[in-house]
Amino acid sequence: MIATDRERRVALVTGGSRGIGLDIALRLAGEGFAVTVAARKEAGVAAAVARIEEQTGAPAFGVAADMADETALGTLATAHADRFGRLDVLVLAAGLGAEEPVGAIRTTAYDLQMNVNLRAPVLLVRELLPLLRTTATAHPEHGSRVVALSSITGVAAEAGLSVYGATKAALLSFCETLSLEESGNGVNATAVAPGYVDTDMTAHLHGRLERESMLGVTDVTEMVLGLTRLSARAVVPSIVISRAGSQLWRA
Ligand SMILES: NC(=O)c1ccc[n+]([C@@H]2O[C@H](COP(=O)([O-])OP(=O)(O)OC[C@H]3O[C@@H](n4cnc5c(N)ncnc54)[C@H](OP(=O)(O)O)[C@@H]3O)[C@@H](O)[C@H]2O)c1
């Protein structure tokens, strides 16, 4: 642990190598947070760490961890705690989706989405809860926060995304329970549920959907930054971000 880190608020961002997670990590670092970035691929993690340090000057630490691997989740939690000894904001952005109708769901795709989108966030929160609690006790004004990237698909069903939507609906419920159990200890949780965001994840939609009609990563990031500025007394169970147009409840 380095001495200067004691002065800074600290974040851990899963899925921090690309897309929404990278933008959140960059902006948190820009606000002065020290940041741990986690993703599956070592090269992506290293590139994100270098970019964060170069653009913001904030300390950044990278851990390559497959969210589907329980041992890797434990290693990530320990590595973060050893490096920074503090956790003000845990952003759970690692995720993936497979588009297939219910009649054609592949068991392997089901297992992967469940493991990465739901099991990993739950196990990681369990492992990091002691650190979130001690951080909230030491810094009672803001407390500590968990922000999970859900999806509007977890609120309103989308054909072809049954399993993905089920994992995201579960995250909404999980965040509510976490706030019920832990907000008295200064630990709050929020599920952020956007419609389609223009990232690698939605690149396959470019023929079907105008990129300009999608949300930008900054639309999500601004909400996350806002959450980090709230007092520990403010519980925000969920934030839905819909896209402009004549249908409110669609991805
Ligand atoms: N884009 C959208 O339209 C949209 C809308 C609503 C919600 N969301 C949610 O927002 C989150 C971020 O989405 P995004 O659009 O930014 O996705 P993205 O651009 O595809 O980035 C996904 C991130 O998750 C990481 N990741 C994927 N599988 C992983 C695994 N097994 N272990 C560790 N890390 C893994 C990736 O790292 P590697 O490159 O190392 O695999 C990458 O950093 C996801 O949870 C997604 O479900 C997205």
Side-chain angles (χ1 to χ4, degrees):
M1 204 191 305
I2 59 174
T4 52
D5 292 334
R6 292 181 187 280
E7 317 303 324
R8 294 178 182 269
R9 294 173 81 191
V10 177
L12 190 167
V13 183
T14 73
S17 63
R18 292 188 283 123
I20 297 168
L22 175 59
D23 194 62
I24 292 170
L26 274 165
R27 292 287 302 282
L28 286 172
E31 299 259 319
F33 279 74
V35 182
T36 293
V37 168
R40 190 169 40 114
K41 296 180 191 145
E42 188 107 38
V45 170
V49 165
R51 192 170 154 193
I52 290 166
E53 290 192 326
E54 190 182 308
Q55 280 188 22
T56 71
F61 175 54
V63 180
D66 185 344
M67 295 290 128
D69 176 355
E70 183 173 5
T71 306
L73 293 171
T75 304
L76 167 61
T78 303
H80 173 87
D82 289 349
R83 177 66 176 79
F84 291 120
R86 173 173 175 172
L87 183 56
D88 299 78
V89 181
L90 170 60
V91 180
L92 301 163
L96 77 165
E99 193 175 340
E100 48 199 11
V102 172
I105 290 171
R106 290 163 297 154
T107 308
T108 50
Y110 170 90
D111 286 342
L112 188 59
Q113 289 173 94
M114 282 292 178
N115 287 340
V116 175
N117 296 0
L118 180 59
R119 183 171 174 264
V122 170
L123 299 187
L124 205 50
V125 168
R126 182 191 68 193
E127 293 304 306
L128 288 166
L129 201 46
L131 190 58
L132 288 161
R133 285 195 194 120
T134 55
T135 302
T137 302
H139 306 280
E141 188 193 341
H142 293 298
S144 57
R145 289 199 180 257
V146 173
V147 182
L149 262 297
S150 174
S151 162
I152 204 165
T153 311
V155 182
E158 192 83 6
L161 294 175
S162 60
V163 175
Y164 178 77
T167 64
K168 298 301 185 178
L171 278 181
L172 283 148
S173 173
F174 179 68
C175 285
E176 289 193 5
T177 310
L178 185 56
S179 289
L180 278 178
E181 292 184 7
E182 294 294 331
S183 57
N185 298 323
V187 184
N188 277 309
T190 303
V192 178
Y196 285 131
V197 183
D198 187 13
T199 66
D200 294 347
M201 184 180 261
T202 49
H204 69 286
L205 296 172
H206 288 172
R208 285 191 255 163
L209 202 63
E210 296 285 323
R211 286 182 76 174
E212 296 70 32
S213 72
M214 294 189 202
L215 300 165
V217 289
T218 55
D219 293 316
V220 180
T221 301
E222 290 294 340
M223 290 295 176
V224 177
L225 293 179
L227 290 168
T228 68
R229 294 180 186 124
L230 298 177
S231 79
R233 297 182 298 283
V235 180
V236 184
S238 58
I239 298 172
V240 177
I241 314 174
S242 193
R243 292 188 298 120
S246 58
Q247 288 173 281
L248 203 56
W249 300 108
R250 56 100 159 90

